[in-house]
Amino acid sequence: MRRGLILAFLILGLCSWLAAQITVSCSPAEIFVNSLSTSSFDPINPQNQPLLTELTITNVADQPMQFSLGMQIHWNEILIVDNVTFTSRQPLQPNLPLKINNRDFISGQAGANFNDPDGDISIDKIIEKSTILRDALQSGYFPDGALRFQFTVEPLSGSKTAAESNTAEFTIRIKNIDAIYLSYPGNPLGQKPPFVSVRPVTFLWNSLNTAYDLKNREYHIVVREFVQANPPNNNSVETGGRKILDADLTGNVYSEFLPFQDKHFYAWQVSTELYNEYGGSASNQLKSEWYVFQFADTQSSGVVISQLRQILDSLNNNEIDSIFGQGFDVTGAVIYEGQVYTGKEAVDLARTLIGKQIEVEIADF
C-alpha cells in the first residue's frame, strides 16, 4: 500500500509538471471601446474581424507537445460561451512561441493552427443567455459592460488541472457615449444669447454614459469670436469669426482667462473622439451643439468677485484662508450640482455657507 501511494504521488507530480510546461498570455490584456459591433464577433467569417488582441502560447518543455486551448466568455457576470476547445493540429515546438489572434479563437472552423473547435460560439447561442444581450445584439451592437475572454492551455498528454501560469484573460470594456451637453455659458445657437461678464469665463459641460472616468476623458474645445454687427448663425458658426481657443483637455471644465471683448459674441463647442474596435480617429467624433453668449465688460463682475471674497473670508475657515494665501482667488462663478451660477445667484449661494460647518477639498475638474 505504501509503494502504491508513493507511485500515485509521483504520477500526480509528473502530470502537474507537464501541465506547467505550456504558458499563455494576452497582449493587450484589455481594451476600451465606445461601441463594439456584432460583425466584429463573427465566427463564420473570422477573416473580417479587426485585430483586437494577440495570444502567445509557449512550450517551455524540452520536447514537442500538442495542446488544447479552452475558452470561456463572460459578459459582465453572465457566462455566455462555455467549454469551447481548440486542439492543435501540430505539436508545439519547444521555445518557439505560437502567436494567434481573435480571428483564430472567435472562429467556428478549423484553421492553420487548430482543428474544428469543440463547442458553439455563435451569436445565436449567445443571445439565449440574456434578454438585454438579445435586444442589443439584434440592433447590431454589444451593450455597455465587460466582455471577458478566459483562456486555458493544457498539454494533451498532461493533467486536466490547469496551473495558474496556464491561464490568461482578455477583456473588452464597452461604454457608450450618447451626447455632450453644454451647461454654461450661453444658449443654443438660434436662441437669444445671454450676457456674460464674469472673468474668467468658466466653460462647463457634461456627457452621459462616458468612459471610465469623466476626469480622464479627452475633449476638444473651440471658441470663436464674432463682432457685434455680425453674430454667428448656422451658416457662419463653423468657419466664421475669429478662433480664440482651440485646445485639448481632460475633464469637463475650462476656466482660463481669454481675450474677450466688450459686446462681442462668442460661440463654443466641445467634441471627443469615439473609440470602437478599430480605434479612435478624427473622423469618428461626437460633437456638442454650439452655444453662444455675448460678453459684457462691465464693473458688475468686479463687485460680485469682491462680495464672494468677503463671504468666504467671513467663514474663518483655515483651509480657505490657506488657499487664498497661496495666491488663488475667486472667479465670480459658483458651480453647484453641475450648474454654473454668476452674479447675484452666485452671491446668494455663497451666503448659504455662513454659519455652517464646511469641509474644503481642492479638486481638479
Side-chain angles (χ1 to χ4, degrees):
M1 174 66 84
R2 177 183 176 85
R3 291 178 61 189
L5 287 174
I6 292 174
L7 181 60
F9 283 132
L10 286 173
I11 292 173
L12 288 174
L14 178 60
C15 290
S16 296
W17 179 83
L18 285 172
Q21 300 311 296
I22 294 186
T23 62
V24 60
S25 62
C26 298
S27 179
E30 179 176 293
I31 64 171
F32 167 79
V33 296
N34 294 120
S35 65
L36 179 66
S37 170
T38 54
S39 63
S40 299
F41 200 91
D42 183 1
I44 300 176
N45 301 292
Q47 70 278 2
N48 296 333
Q49 299 170 19
L51 296 178
L52 303 175
T53 190
E54 183 177 73
L55 265 66
T56 301
I57 303 172
T58 306
N59 177 8
V60 296
D62 57 2
Q63 58 184 349
M65 193 177 300
Q66 285 193 287
F67 67 94
S68 66
L69 174 68
M71 180 177 67
Q72 290 186 335
I73 306 176
H74 288 78
W75 177 69
N76 296 337
E77 301 304 318
I78 302 173
L79 181 63
I80 59 175
V81 171
D82 189 18
N83 296 327
V84 173
T85 303
F86 301 85
T87 303
S88 62
R89 297 176 69 96
Q90 302 293 333
L92 183 61
Q93 299 299 315
N95 299 311
L96 290 176
L98 172 65
K99 294 184 180 294
I100 63 174
N101 56 58
N102 48 279
R103 294 173 180 173
D104 297 291
F105 59 77
I106 304 179
S107 176
Q109 57 200 26
N113 299 299
F114 298 105
N115 298 310
D116 285 326
D118 180 14
D120 189 355
I121 195 176
S122 68
I123 291 291
D124 291 338
K125 188 70 174 179
I126 292 173
I127 63 178
E128 296 175 0
K129 303 294 184 178
S130 164
T131 55
I132 296 176
L133 269 177
R134 182 193 63 210
D135 295 342
L137 295 182
Q138 288 177 345
S139 71
Y141 291 90
F142 279 87
D144 285 0
L147 197 63
R148 189 171 74 255
F149 296 75
Q150 296 177 314
F151 303 100
T152 302
V153 291
E154 297 176 353
L156 290 183
S157 58
S159 169
K160 294 300 182 183
T161 303
E164 182 178 355
S165 61
N166 290 347
T167 63
E169 286 193 1
F170 168 60
T171 302
I172 305 174
R173 299 197 180 278
I174 308 160
K175 192 69 174 176
N176 294 283
I177 175 171
D178 299 326
I180 300 174
Y181 298 98
L182 306 187
S183 298
Y184 180 89
N187 284 330
L189 180 67
Q191 298 183 16
K192 182 178 180 180
F195 283 99
V196 174
S197 59
V198 175
R199 285 183 183 270
V201 173
T202 299
F203 296 85
L204 180 67
W205 61 92
N206 290 288
S207 57
L208 297 183
N209 296 333
T210 182
Y212 301 113
D213 187 343
L214 184 62
K215 295 180 181 179
N216 294 328
R217 172 165 277 278
E218 294 183 353
Y219 291 96
H220 186 82
I221 182 172
V222 172
V223 180
R224 305 190 74 92
E225 179 184 76
F226 296 82
V227 298
Q228 183 181 9
N230 192 18
N233 55 47
N234 289 325
N235 296 324
S236 64
V237 69
E238 293 277 355
T239 57
R242 181 175 70 96
K243 190 182 294 184
I244 65 168
L245 178 64
D246 190 341
D248 295 319
L249 64 155
T250 57
N252 65 325
V253 172
Y254 180 87
S255 185
E256 301 291 339
F257 283 96
L258 294 174
F260 294 120
Q261 299 187 65
D262 187 36
K263 295 184 175 60
H264 282 54
F265 291 95
Y266 295 90
W268 66 290
Q269 184 183 64
V270 174
S271 61
T272 187
E273 285 189 7
L274 295 178
Y275 289 83
N276 57 25
E277 54 269 49
Y278 297 94
S281 67
S283 62
N284 189 28
Q285 285 191 335
L286 179 69
K287 294 183 177 182
S288 72
E289 61 182 329
W290 286 92
Y291 262 39
V292 181
F293 64 92
Q294 190 172 14
F295 188 75
D297 192 6
T298 66
Q299 298 299 318
S300 61
S301 62
V303 173
V304 169
I305 289 174
S306 176
Q307 291 176 334
L308 289 173
R309 179 62 186 263
Q310 290 175 7
I311 292 170
L312 294 176
D313 286 337
S314 71
L315 298 178
N316 295 318
N317 183 281
N318 291 333
E319 286 85 358
I320 293 177
D321 293 342
S322 175
I323 292 171
F324 286 145
Q326 297 174 46
F328 293 95
D329 206 346
V330 295
T331 65
V334 174
I335 302 173
Y336 178 67
E337 293 186 345
Q339 297 294 319
V340 178
Y341 298 89
T342 59
K344 184 177 181 300
E345 289 181 328
V347 174
D348 291 342
L349 271 175
R351 285 199 178 106
T352 63
L353 301 175
I354 297 175
K356 295 182 179 179
Q357 261 193 329
I358 62 173
E359 293 184 2
V360 177
E361 177 183 356
I362 299 177
D364 182 11
F365 284 99

